Structures are given as structure tokens and as C-alpha cells.
Amino acid sequence: MQEIKNIIFDFGGVLVNLDKHRCIEAFDKIGAHEIVRYVDECRQEDLFHDLEVGNTGVEEFCNEVRCICTGCNADDADICEAWNALLTDIPRQRLEKLASLRGRYRMVLLSNTNPIHWQKALDGMFRNDGMDVDDYFEKTYLSYRMHMLKPDPQIFGKVLMDSGMAAYETLFIDDSPVNCAAASQLGMMSLNLTGDEWLDRV
């Protein structure tokens, strides 16, 4: 880590815990049974892909869920709540670790995410001892705002260029081996870790 000056963190699975089964139960509860297979198989095509890459908005996403799911009359708030059931919490020890690293490294967040999940994160997941997301990261790079997804090399290139970070001085932490491989090909050091695994590695 001596040569590392920058750290790029993933969000889902690295910082925030995910519970696929809780999300499935939530969609089942509102009658969106056809959506369950998307969540169960971690599929990212169609409506979920379009939401995550910023090609569709929250209202359009909710309308599409109702169209796909025969007999589902859930309102937008219920659909968003069901999708948000995937995210559980960011444990305090991870936030404390981020705070301790911020003084030693330049840190940014890069996530394949969507406006529904990100709003939930902003509403309270990063709040700890009066801190918020901007206290941990100098910038957040989100797929739905950038209109591109990991592991596309362009998204990594964009982050490095925009932040002025050199690849060889940058560590990338992600729960996807495919994403880590893409980052490594650009010259970054990468760690394929989940949950608390990274706490003792940086």
C-alpha cells in the first residue's frame, strides 16, 4: 500500500450489506411476482439495466414494473420500497474505517447503482457522528449519472481523468471479480473483497 495514494470504493456488497431474499419477499408482498426472477438471478437487463445506466427515470421504472407484473397495482412508493429492501445497512465499523482512511488517501466512490438505491443511501446510510457521504468521499461517481456501467473500461477512465488520479497510484475495491479485472487492466491495483473483508487490508 506504500505506493497507493488513491482508493476507489464500490458501494453495494463492499460498503452496504445486501439481502436478496428480503428484496424478493418485498416484491412478492406487493404482487410484483414477475420481478422476483430478476432479483433472484441478479439480472441487470431490461428495466433494471435502463434504470442503472440512467436511460429511464424512477416513474418510468415503476410504470414498467406494473406493466410486467400482471395484477400488480402497487404505487410508486411501494415499488421503490420493495427495491430498496435489497439494501440493509452500512455497519458502523466500515464508516469509521472510511473516516480514518480519508486523512491518508484521496477517496472516491464508483458504483453501478440507481436513483432509488442512492436516495436511500443519502437519506441515512452514511450518517454517523454528524458525518455524511461527502465527509467520506471527495466525489461519488454513479452509473445512472454517468450513463455507463462497470466493467466498461470507459467508466474507469472517466473517473481517473476527472479526479486526476494516476492508475498506478490507485487501489480499486469491488465485490465483482469482473470489475476488478477491468480495473487491473488499466493499471490499477484491485482487491476483490466483500463486507468487512477489506477492513484489515487497507
Side-chain angles (χ1 to χ4, degrees):
M1 291 288 295
Q2 290 183 350
E3 72 279 12
I4 296 299
K5 297 180 180 179
N6 322 301
I7 305 178
I8 301 175
F9 278 92
D10 179 33
F11 179 52
V14 172
L15 299 181
V16 64
N17 289 324
L18 306 177
D19 189 337
K20 182 174 70 172
H21 299 294
R22 190 175 80 155
C23 186
I24 288 172
E25 289 175 0
F27 274 118
D28 257 336
K29 186 176 180 180
I30 64 171
H33 309 299
E34 288 83 354
I35 298 299
V36 166
R37 79 176 190 277
Y38 283 88
V39 180
D40 190 38
E41 298 170 8
C42 299
R43 290 169 56 182
Q44 289 184 309
E45 70 261 32
D46 304 332
L47 73 167
F48 284 103
H49 172 274
D50 288 344
L51 184 67
E52 203 155 84
V53 81
N55 289 340
T56 189
V58 174
E59 184 177 351
E60 294 170 289
F61 170 78
C62 294
N63 286 336
E64 188 64 21
V65 168
R66 283 186 287 267
C67 287
I68 291 173
C69 302
T70 306
C72 176
N73 297 312
D75 61 22
D76 290 5
D78 288 337
I79 292 170
C80 290
E81 185 177 357
W83 188 213
N84 275 336
L86 181 66
L87 280 59
T88 60
D89 68 319
I90 303 177
R92 184 182 178 89
Q93 65 268 23
R94 295 180 199 166
L95 293 175
E96 291 175 344
K97 182 68 173 184
L98 288 177
S100 72
L101 293 172
R102 181 68 194 267
R104 296 157 49 198
Y105 302 97
R106 292 185 64 197
M107 294 175 20
V108 301
L109 182 143
L110 171 61
S111 177
N112 286 354
T113 191
N114 60 80
I116 299 172
H117 284 170
W118 189 242
Q119 189 59 54
K120 179 176 181 177
L122 293 180
D123 286 344
M125 288 193 163
F126 285 99
R127 305 260 171 94
N128 182 48
D129 295 335
M131 299 177 72
D132 213 332
V133 64
D134 293 334
D135 295 304
Y136 300 105
F137 302 104
E138 63 178 66
K139 192 163 184 179
T140 54
Y141 294 92
L142 310 175
S143 62
Y144 77 91
R145 293 178 182 167
M146 300 176 74
H147 303 288
M148 58 182 77
L149 295 165
K150 296 177 289 184
D152 185 341
Q154 290 187 29
I155 197 170
F156 294 107
K158 175 70 173 177
V159 171
L160 292 173
M161 182 177 295
D162 182 74
S163 63
M165 295 177 175
Y168 68 92
E169 294 177 336
T170 302
L171 171 66
F172 174 65
I173 303 175
D174 197 287
D175 66 334
S176 164
V178 175
N179 293 343
C180 286
S184 295
Q185 288 176 0
L186 291 178
M188 286 184 272
M189 177 181 174
S190 65
L191 290 176
N192 176 212
L193 301 171
T194 61
D196 291 338
E197 294 175 345
W198 61 271
L199 295 178
D200 295 325
R201 298 288 298 276
V202 295

Coordinates of all heavy atoms in Angstrom, one line a residue, residues 4 41 55 73 82 114 122 127 138-139 144 150 154:
I4 N 0.3 3.5 -3.0 CA -1.1 3.9 -3.2 C -1.4 5.2 -2.6 O -1.1 5.4 -1.4 CB -2.0 2.8 -2.7 CG1 -1.9 1.5 -3.4 CG2 -3.5 3.3 -2.7 CD1 -2.1 1.5 -4.9
E41 N -32.0 -13.9 -9.8 CA -30.9 -14.2 -10.7 C -29.9 -13.1 -10.9 O -29.0 -13.2 -11.7 CB -31.5 -14.6 -12.1 CG -32.4 -15.8 -12.1 CD -33.2 -16.0 -13.4 OE1 -32.9 -15.3 -14.4 OE2 -34.1 -16.9 -13.4
N55 N -31.0 5.5 -18.4 CA -31.8 5.7 -19.6 C -33.3 5.8 -19.3 O -34.1 6.1 -20.2 CB -31.6 4.5 -20.5 CG -30.2 4.5 -21.2 OD1 -29.6 5.6 -21.2 ND2 -29.8 3.4 -21.6
N73 N -50.9 -3.6 -8.6 CA -51.4 -2.2 -8.6 C -50.6 -1.4 -7.6 O -51.2 -0.3 -7.2 CB -52.9 -2.2 -8.2 CG -53.7 -3.0 -9.3 OD1 -53.6 -2.7 -10.5 ND2 -54.6 -3.9 -8.9
A82 N -39.9 -1.7 -2.1 CA -39.6 -3.1 -2.3 C -38.2 -3.2 -2.9 O -37.4 -4.1 -2.5 CB -40.6 -3.7 -3.3
N114 N -28.6 3.0 -8.9 CA -29.7 3.7 -9.5 C -30.2 4.8 -8.5 O -29.9 4.8 -7.3 CB -30.8 2.7 -9.8 CG -31.3 1.9 -8.5 OD1 -32.1 2.5 -7.7 ND2 -30.7 0.7 -8.3
L122 N -28.4 8.1 0.7 CA -28.3 9.5 1.2 C -29.2 9.9 2.4 O -28.8 10.7 3.2 CB -28.6 10.5 0.0 CG -27.6 10.5 -1.2 CD1 -28.1 11.5 -2.2 CD2 -26.2 10.8 -0.7
R127 N -24.8 8.4 7.5 CA -24.9 9.3 8.6 C -24.3 8.7 9.8 O -24.8 7.6 10.3 CB -26.3 9.7 8.9 CG -27.0 10.3 7.7 CD -27.1 11.8 7.8 NE -27.6 12.4 6.5 CZ -28.8 12.7 6.3 NH1 -29.7 12.5 7.2 NH2 -29.2 13.3 5.1
E138 N -14.4 12.4 -1.7 CA -14.3 13.7 -2.3 C -15.3 13.8 -3.5 O -15.7 14.9 -3.9 CB -12.9 14.1 -2.7 CG -12.3 13.2 -3.8 CD -10.9 13.7 -4.2 OE1 -10.0 13.6 -3.3 OE2 -10.7 14.1 -5.3
K139 N -15.7 12.7 -4.0 CA -16.7 12.7 -5.1 C -17.3 11.3 -5.2 O -16.6 10.3 -5.0 CB -16.0 13.1 -6.4 CG -17.1 13.4 -7.5 CD -16.5 14.2 -8.7 CE -17.5 14.5 -9.7 NZ -17.0 15.3 -10.8
Y144 N -25.8 5.7 -13.0 CA -27.0 6.3 -13.6 C -26.8 7.8 -14.0 O -27.5 8.3 -14.8 CB -28.2 6.1 -12.7 CG -28.3 7.0 -11.5 CD1 -29.0 8.3 -11.6 CD2 -27.8 6.7 -10.3 CE1 -29.1 9.1 -10.5 CE2 -27.9 7.5 -9.2 CZ -28.5 8.7 -9.3 OH -28.6 9.5 -8.2
K150 N -19.8 -0.3 -14.9 CA -18.6 -1.2 -14.7 C -19.1 -2.6 -15.3 O -20.3 -2.9 -15.1 CB -18.3 -1.4 -13.3 CG -17.8 -0.1 -12.6 CD -17.5 -0.4 -11.1 CE -18.8 -0.5 -10.3 NZ -18.5 -0.7 -8.8
Q154 N -14.3 2.4 -20.1 CA -14.5 3.9 -20.2 C -14.9 4.5 -18.9 O -14.6 5.7 -18.6 CB -15.6 4.2 -21.2 CG -15.2 3.9 -22.7 CD -16.2 4.3 -23.7 OE1 -16.9 5.3 -23.5 NE2 -16.2 3.6 -24.8

